[in-house]
Amino acid sequence: MAGGNSNFPRTLRAMDLEIRDTRSTYEVVAGEFARAQAEGHPELRHDIDSFARMLPPALLVADVGCGPGRDLTLLRAAGMRAVGFDLTEAMLRVGGRSGVAQADMRHLPVRTGALDGIWCQAALLHIPHRYAPAVVAEFARCVRAGGAVHLAVAEGSGEGWEEFAYGSDGRRWFAYHTEESLGGLLAAHGLAVVEVRRHHHRRDWLRMLAVRNA
Ligand SMILES: C[S@@+](CC[C@H](N)C(=O)[O-])C[C@H]1O[C@@H](n2cnc3c(N)ncnc32)[C@H](O)[C@@H]1O
């Protein structure tokens, strides 16, 4: 991993409203979120297995937008060395997992090509559309050729504020994606989609697994 992220203080100072308010809401609901989401779901297990099959054991992966870190435990149980990054300090603290750091997914504190994989579960959906290309480019930068990227996002079109979740009336920004829009973005950054799956749980979920071209 890199020793630090010189971009991070600048990002915090100039943080956009959508990202700042979403983070503020997660600061408040972290405990309730961790309780509500502790169990996971069958689709998650399937996606962890698909992701693990792409990668020999003991390789280094990052769970980006890891929240309290439920998936870090699953990724480690599947044989991977997994570190976690999240913008919300309370989410990292409440999970109490080792190997986590606060970071904005637009500027990850990772050396170019240092990761064998990125796991990003239900987190890209909080990034305004105008930053989605920069995030996908950042993921492509961090993952070595042949490495894997897993994305689970809310499926649909448009973006906007959603209120009332996990016992709070705080607002979170939701940006929706389609297979075409996200697939196009991945392809444009050298990430070839190898698996697309969907399920419905409170909203429509789109899950994509991609491999970094040489
Ligand atoms: C719905 S939670 C998902 C957490 C976890 N991946 C899971 O599935 O349980 C979304 C997470 O994305 C994080 N997040 C939002 N914007 C972020 C950003 N710009 N960089 C890193 N993490 C961010 C939030 O702090 C929150 O923990």
Side-chain angles (χ1 to χ4, degrees):
M1 311 301 296
N5 182 359
S6 58
N7 286 320
F8 187 53
R10 176 173 60 74
T11 309
L12 269 183
R13 273 200 305 278
M15 199 181 284
D16 301 82
L17 187 65
E18 299 94 332
I19 289 177
R20 192 192 67 198
D21 283 8
T22 300
R23 184 182 70 153
S24 299
T25 297
Y26 278 115
E27 291 286 358
V28 172
V29 304
E32 188 50 38
F33 180 94
R35 272 188 293 281
Q37 297 293 342
E39 277 301 302
H41 44 82
E43 291 79 13
L44 191 59
R45 313 263 163 182
H46 170 94
D47 291 351
I48 294 265
D49 287 348
S50 291
F51 188 64
R53 265 198 303 277
M54 306 284 301
L55 301 168
L59 295 189
L60 181 63
V61 301
D63 181 353
V64 177
C66 63
R70 174 200 63 212
D71 300 352
L72 281 173
T73 300
L74 298 175
L75 293 163
R76 288 169 185 169
M80 289 170 250
R81 289 188 297 134
V83 296
F85 297 117
D86 199 282
L87 189 60
T88 310
E89 192 178 341
M91 293 290 262
L92 298 172
R93 282 191 192 281
V94 83
R97 259 79 177 190
S98 60
V100 300
Q102 191 181 25
D104 187 325
M105 70 177 83
R106 294 174 295 173
H107 307 283
L108 291 171
V110 170
R111 185 168 42 78
T112 296
L115 296 175
D116 299 295
I118 285 184
W119 174 267
C120 184
Q121 177 75 22
L124 180 66
L125 80 186
H126 291 315
I127 300 297
H129 280 150
R130 66 184 178 281
Y131 287 123
V135 169
V136 172
E138 181 66 344
F139 289 4
R141 181 189 70 77
C142 294
V143 171
R144 65 159 170 84
V149 174
H150 159 88
L151 298 172
V153 295
E155 185 170 27
S157 57
E159 59 183 335
W161 293 109
E162 295 185 20
E163 294 169 352
F164 305 111
Y166 304 104
S168 158
D169 60 0
R171 60 183 190 171
R172 297 178 297 165
W173 188 261
F174 277 83
Y176 289 80
H177 296 271
T178 63
E179 179 178 346
E180 292 68 32
S181 65
L182 192 54
L185 213 47
L186 291 166
H189 292 89
L191 294 160
V193 175
V194 293
E195 188 176 297
V196 179
R197 299 183 75 87
R198 294 177 166 83
H199 73 284
H200 181 87
H201 180 66
R202 296 201 185 98
R203 59 182 88 236
D204 291 329
W205 290 96
L206 172 66
R207 295 129 58 202
M208 299 180 93
L209 182 62
V211 174
R212 175 89 163 83
N213 296 328

